[in-house]
Amino acid sequence: MVQGRRSQRRSATVAAALLLLAACAAPPPSATIWDPNEAANRQVHAFNLAADKALVAPFANAYGKGLPEPLRRGVTNFASNLDLPGEVANGLLQVRPDRAVENTLRFVLNTTVGIGGLFDPATAIGLPGKRTDFGETLHVWGLGEGAYVELPLLGPSTERDTAGKVVDLMLNPLSLVLQKPESYVGTVAKFASKLGDRQRFSSTVDSVLYGSADSYAQMRLLYLQKRRFDLGQAVAVEDIEDPYAQ
């Protein structure tokens, strides 16, 4: 009975996310930046900067210094392995069976031989996996990216990718299977993995956040360029028109 109510709530959330996306206005061509809510986004960006300076960066630094690199890598591997069932589902929704098969094999091998995903034997034998998400699924289905969005703590996104993040939380079969406290372990592992990323790329992140004349515009530009490239919309940074540039 409880499981049924949980499934209904998840279905309602997915439906709401898709309706939100459908309500987005039509986006401009992919060689432009569309940021009609820049004022609100900049307020979120200011909050994110303050949170990074006061909490995220210090915790990431402590995490990097407190745990040896092999242990941090194991945490990252474990967190990445938890995402694979959802990536398999997205591969199927995108009608890309090659991605679904590779991610399935990767999940099975790393979960068994890799001891629950702590190790990554799949990459060693040539199965690096194909990272994907529901935002990419929506792109494959023909939906535009919508307006640029900066999310509290999560950072840069778009309207399409924000809806995708919500659906990804519900799409991963492990989110339905794992019960408490096991579900908390996955959440903690993913949070720790993000801290590890912040520490590993600290020089690059710091240069963007604290070394740029306008960190908001710089982050927006870099995010959209990389996201569009990952989706097969290769656009050089210098070719992206930014009508909001200061």
Side-chain angles (χ1 to χ4, degrees), residues 84 87-88 90-91 94 96 98-100 102-103 106 127-133 136:
L84 283 172
E87 292 173 356
V88 171
N90 275 302
Q94 295 165 19
R96 289 169 168 168
D98 55 330
R99 292 191 177 194
E102 181 171 341
N103 283 335
R106 180 176 172 81
L127 292 172
K130 303 292 185 182
R131 300 304 302 267
T132 187
D133 51 56
E136 182 173 5

Side-chain angles (χ1 to χ4, degrees), residues 2-240:
V2 174
Q3 187 69 24
R5 287 197 295 269
R6 288 178 61 193
S7 298
Q8 290 176 354
R9 286 197 297 269
R10 291 177 187 278
S11 298
T13 303
V14 171
L18 293 176
L19 287 173
L20 174 64
L21 183 70
C24 297
S30 60
T32 64
I33 290 177
W34 191 36
D35 189 2
N37 302 309
E38 181 177 3
N41 283 332
R42 283 186 177 274
Q43 291 181 350
V44 175
H45 182 72
F47 167 80
N48 286 342
L49 277 180
D52 180 80
K53 185 176 294 185
L55 296 173
V56 179
F59 273 112
N61 187 51
Y63 175 77
K65 291 182 177 180
L67 291 180
E69 195 277 334
L71 188 54
R72 297 198 306 272
R73 185 168 62 247
V75 172
T76 298
N77 289 341
F78 177 75
S80 178
N81 196 58
L82 292 177
D83 289 333
L84 283 172
E87 292 173 356
V88 171
N90 275 302
L92 294 174
L93 291 171
Q94 295 165 19
V95 196
R96 289 169 168 168
D98 55 330
R99 292 191 177 194
V101 169
E102 181 171 341
N103 283 335
T104 298
L105 294 175
R106 180 176 172 81
F107 179 72
V108 171
L109 185 61
N110 283 355
T111 301
T112 55
V113 180
I115 313 177
L118 292 175
F119 300 96
D120 185 11
T123 296
I125 66 169
L127 292 172
K130 303 292 185 182
R131 300 304 302 267
T132 187
D133 51 56
F134 197 74
E136 182 173 5
T137 297
L138 294 173
H139 164 72
V140 171
W141 290 354
L143 293 174
E145 68 184 18
Y148 176 78
V149 177
E150 179 150 351
L151 302 173
L153 300 180
L154 298 179
S157 186
T158 62
E159 289 177 319
R160 180 183 61 202
D161 288 343
T162 299
K165 291 177 189 297
V166 175
V167 176
D168 277 326
L169 291 175
M170 314 303 161
L171 190 63
N172 194 326
L174 290 181
S175 66
L176 298 173
V177 175
L178 293 178
Q179 303 295 322
K180 299 175 183 178
E182 289 83 359
S183 59
Y184 293 146
V185 173
T187 300
V188 171
K190 290 183 180 183
F191 176 73
S193 177
K194 294 299 182 183
L195 287 180
D197 290 342
R198 177 64 177 87
Q199 186 272 336
R200 187 163 63 255
F201 302 111
S202 60
S203 59
T204 301
V205 174
D206 288 345
S207 69
V208 173
L209 292 182
Y210 307 112
S212 303
D214 185 345
S215 61
Y216 173 79
Q218 181 75 353
M219 181 171 286
R220 177 181 60 193
L221 186 68
L222 292 175
Y223 172 80
L224 291 175
Q225 192 270 343
K226 182 180 186 304
R227 181 58 170 167
R228 291 168 181 177
F229 179 84
D230 290 343
L231 296 178
Q233 302 171 312
V235 180
V237 172
E238 60 269 19
D239 293 335
I240 297 181

